[in-house]
Amino acid sequence: MTDRPHQAMVCTTLPGFFVALALWLPVAVALEPVPEQDIDNSIATAKPMIAIIIDDLGNQRLPGLRVIDLDGPIACAIMPHTTHATYLANRAYAAGKEVILHLPMQPAEMNRIAGPGEISLDTDRTELAYILEQDLRSVPHTVGVSNHMGSLITRHPGHMRWLMLELAHRGDLFFIDSFTTPDSVAYEIALETGVPAGRRHVFLDNVQTAAAVEKQFERLKRRANSYGYAIGIGHPYPATLDYLQLALSVAEKQGFQIVPVAQIITRMEATLLESQLQTDLVGDEQPSLAYEH
């Protein structure tokens, strides 16, 4: 926490001091963005929460099943119109996991396609609504939407507003900004349009080794300790799943809660102050095109 702005207070008596202090404190609080644990004593004493999303499910059956078999409320982000999308969504739902539509969105690299059911800059508003509807039908039991790739289109307020208005109209889906570009406006526009939303803080496995995944998971825990919550995204790589199979129970013994994504979003909504939108971005891992798997 940064030091409070210095303000001179002239007090000749003890009662005068408390009067001046009462007048000064609201100003100091208004000027100072604070981590969430400083806002409310009940939040400060709560266990830090971690949510894990595993992206890019649907193309391979066995890795998808291994994700579903992980202990704890690991969210399953499933790509639409993939071979095993419906099967894995049904299995994840039966296992009590959150199912997220991992919505393909246009990346900055123009020679790449995010996948079937992609939203691009060439998509008009009517087409966007239709594509979203078809994508959701291919991934049953969806409780939220996240972007797959999207380093180009998530920069564009027009398309992001169309998407969020569709989600707001449905009223039963949250949005997770995978944050594949620092110029993304998806999270902010989701909040503006009343869509429950969160944003990825750490990618776990851009380097697919046990040591690299461990390093990123430690970053995730530090972030959760500092702000009370953190959202991590991984992929169904062997190194990632091997590590999580052991690390999740260890993290809980260390005092962390492994929770559904929706629980962190609820926590964020309960504590979000206007001045904290920028505070929430501090310390997060900066994205690059390497994050668009």
Side-chain angles (χ1 to χ4, degrees):
M1 179 184 294
T2 57
D3 292 335
R4 284 180 173 144
H6 176 71
Q7 295 192 11
M9 292 187 293
V10 178
C11 306
T12 57
T13 66
L14 190 58
F17 168 78
F18 286 113
V19 170
L21 183 62
L23 293 173
W24 174 75
L25 278 176
V27 176
V29 171
L31 289 174
E32 180 184 323
V34 293
E36 289 190 4
Q37 55 264 45
D38 292 334
I39 295 173
D40 186 295
N41 287 335
S42 64
I43 292 174
T45 58
K47 290 182 179 181
M49 299 191 301
I50 291 174
I52 303 290
I53 305 169
I54 301 298
D55 278 358
D56 297 357
L57 302 181
N59 285 306
Q60 296 179 298
R61 179 174 173 271
L62 292 181
L65 290 175
R66 190 175 176 198
V67 172
I68 294 167
D69 287 340
L70 285 172
D71 290 335
I74 306 301
C76 300
I78 300 174
M79 297 180 64
H81 311 295
T82 49
T83 304
H84 304 289
T86 301
Y87 171 77
L88 290 174
N90 286 330
R91 287 290 298 266
Y93 175 76
K97 311 289 189 183
E98 288 173 308
V99 177
I100 295 174
L101 169 65
H102 199 35
L103 179 62
M105 296 191 191
Q106 186 176 1
E109 294 183 48
M110 301 305 292
N111 61 336
R112 299 183 69 184
I113 297 175
E118 180 187 60
I119 293 173
S120 73
L121 291 181
D122 293 330
T123 307
D124 64 29
R125 184 168 183 176
T126 301
E127 291 171 332
L128 186 148
Y130 176 78
I131 290 170
L132 178 63
E133 174 66 28
Q134 296 305 307
D135 287 353
L136 287 168
R137 288 186 178 184
S138 77
V139 182
H141 313 298
T142 296
V143 298
V145 175
S146 66
N147 56 293
H148 172 60
M149 299 190 179
S151 57
L152 179 63
I153 198 169
T154 57
R155 307 177 195 185
H156 288 261
H159 282 74
M160 289 301 96
R161 192 167 299 278
W162 292 347
L163 174 61
M164 301 311 165
L165 287 172
E166 288 297 323
L167 298 183
H169 177 72
R170 290 173 177 274
D172 59 353
L173 298 172
F174 59 72
F175 181 80
I176 293 294
D177 186 353
S178 300
F179 194 47
T180 56
T181 170
D183 300 318
S184 173
V185 297
Y187 176 52
E188 290 84 351
I189 291 180
L191 296 180
E192 289 174 11
T193 52
V195 175
R199 209 197 68 175
R200 185 274 309 162
H201 300 113
V202 175
F203 274 119
L204 297 176
D205 52 14
N206 286 307
V207 179
Q208 299 168 39
T209 66
V213 174
E214 180 179 16
K215 180 179 178 180
Q216 292 299 91
F217 196 75
E218 290 300 316
R219 289 187 64 180
L220 190 68
K221 291 193 291 186
R222 289 196 298 272
R223 207 278 175 193
N225 267 327
S226 295
Y227 291 93
Y229 65 87
I231 298 174
I233 290 180
H235 301 83
Y237 304 138
T240 305
L241 302 186
D242 288 346
Y243 180 79
L244 290 178
Q245 193 165 10
L246 300 175
L248 294 175
S249 60
V250 173
E252 290 185 325
K253 291 176 183 176
Q254 293 171 336
F256 295 91
Q257 300 180 78
I258 309 301
V259 301
V261 176
Q263 188 169 331
I264 286 185
I265 290 175
T266 299
R267 164 80 164 271
M268 293 172 70
E269 289 181 324
T271 57
L272 186 65
L273 301 175
E274 186 172 336
S275 64
Q276 283 184 285
L277 182 57
Q278 291 305 316
T279 301
D280 185 57
L281 308 186
V282 174
D284 294 348
E285 184 176 64
Q286 293 301 305
S288 72
L289 295 183
Y291 295 105
E292 294 200 305
H293 299 275

